[in-house]
Amino acid sequence: MKESDNENRPAVVFLHSTRKCKEWLRPLLEAYASRGYIAIGIDSRYHGERASSKTTYRDALVSSWKNGDTMPFIFDTAWDLIKLADYLTQREDIDPTRIGITGESLGGMHAWYAAADTRYKVIVPIIGVQGFRWAIENDKWQARVGSIKAVFEEARTDLGKSTIDKEVVEKVWDRIAPGLASQFDSPYTIPAIAPRPLLIINGAEDPRCPLAGLEIPKARARKAYAEANCSDNFKVVAEPGIGHQMTPFMVKEASDWLDKFLLKQ
């Protein structure tokens, strides 16, 4: 912090990507703190200090497929973020009306789903929003599946298949994240964030989050924001020539959006 006072401050939660941890975010958290935010990073479940080995996340995914005991891909951490909102809104140094959430890749998905909690007032998922059903129907699931391939290979074997196909993909999603490719997919959950400010940032060439899969959720969200008379609260930015990576441009776009809605002008 540049200075110390008794004023309640805005807060930003920044979430890490797969196989990273909260410490990896420290430069970003310090940058937000230097601008007057209280900046928060947590280890996603099965990551960082919440992992007992290098394979904890992989093992949790496989166990979820086999036993249905956890929902490690997105929903477990989304629940943790709801509990985090309980904590943040009770802190005397945080303004509970000015809490934003953002994240990269897996963290972007976590930010997207944590937005179900309306205490997160500004939402900026970075390289995370995608159409899971669209990917299955348009044979564009391979890159996303490849990011956590072990659980799909386990399912392929259990289902007696020689290769991972769309049936395997659909069964895995239904098991480890029920509703991910149906009622909780982006065409339904993205418009539901209205009227809160929402900025979606992706790479234009991202195979894990193909832009074509966002056409329906984007159109539905624009309609929802227009009906709420706050069309300026929704924006999609796709950086040309960029695949599945967070860039300085994306970080600046996210920061500018958070500043616009959370910092007192």
Side-chain angles (χ1 to χ4, degrees):
M1 292 283 185
K2 284 184 178 177
E3 68 282 325
S4 162
D5 55 44
N6 294 321
E7 181 184 358
N8 284 0
R9 295 177 180 274
V12 170
V13 177
F14 208 119
L15 303 162
H16 64 77
S17 55
T18 304
R19 288 179 280 277
K20 295 290 199 309
C21 62
K22 63 187 181 302
E23 285 77 17
W24 182 77
L25 296 168
R26 188 177 184 97
L28 291 166
L29 299 176
E30 289 181 348
Y32 277 106
S34 74
R35 301 216 310 282
Y37 290 95
I38 289 177
I40 302 101
I42 68 163
D43 284 326
S44 296
R45 208 144 350 153
Y46 321 104
H47 288 73
E49 290 183 277
R50 306 180 75 187
S52 56
S53 72
K54 290 184 177 180
T55 63
T56 295
Y57 183 47
R58 173 199 176 281
D59 296 344
L61 289 164
V62 171
S63 179
S64 179
W65 161 255
K66 288 188 172 294
N67 306 309
D69 50 353
T70 59
M71 297 185 190
F73 181 50
I74 295 176
F75 296 159
D76 284 348
T77 297
W79 170 254
D80 295 338
L81 292 165
I82 292 170
K83 306 314 290 181
L84 177 63
D86 290 344
Y87 169 69
L88 296 180
T89 53
Q90 290 168 12
R91 282 182 62 114
E92 293 183 355
D93 54 353
I94 288 178
D95 181 345
T97 68
R98 292 190 292 156
I99 300 176
I101 190 166
T102 185
E104 174 196 5
S105 192
L106 179 64
M109 288 186 266
H110 287 149
W112 157 20
Y113 280 94
D117 190 320
T118 56
R119 291 173 294 183
Y120 291 111
K121 302 299 184 184
V122 183
I123 297 93
V124 189
I126 302 171
I127 62 170
V129 179
Q130 59 211 268
F132 289 94
R133 170 58 51 188
W134 178 91
I136 292 171
E137 292 177 349
N138 291 273
D139 198 35
K140 299 289 186 182
W141 46 264
Q142 292 82 357
R144 170 53 60 204
V145 164
S147 69
I148 50 171
K149 194 170 183 180
V151 64
F152 290 93
E153 286 290 357
E154 199 76 26
R156 175 191 66 75
T157 301
D158 291 347
L159 294 170
K161 299 256 188 175
S162 58
T163 59
I164 298 171
D165 59 18
K166 61 166 50 176
E167 181 187 358
V168 172
V169 174
E170 187 162 9
K171 285 183 181 298
V172 169
W173 290 146
D174 285 347
R175 181 71 166 170
I176 72 171
L180 189 69
S182 53
Q183 70 264 39
F184 299 139
D185 202 358
S186 54
Y188 308 101
T189 49
I190 290 298
I193 295 172
R196 288 171 292 155
L198 169 64
L199 170 63
I200 296 171
I201 306 176
N202 278 7
E205 310 302 325
D206 189 343
R208 294 186 191 177
C209 304
L211 283 186
L214 294 187
E215 288 305 315
I216 292 174
K218 189 164 65 173
R220 291 184 181 179
R222 282 187 175 143
K223 183 172 183 288
Y225 279 87
E227 289 174 351
N229 295 312
C230 57
S231 294
D232 290 344
N233 283 10
F234 176 66
K235 186 178 179 183
V236 177
V237 172
E239 186 173 358
I242 297 298
H244 192 74
Q245 66 184 103
M246 182 173 72
T247 67
F249 168 81
M250 293 176 180
V251 172
K252 185 177 187 307
E253 287 286 311
S255 300
D256 289 349
W257 187 263
L258 290 161
D259 286 355
K260 178 180 178 181
F261 292 102
L262 294 177
L263 287 184
K264 290 179 178 177
Q265 304 301 321

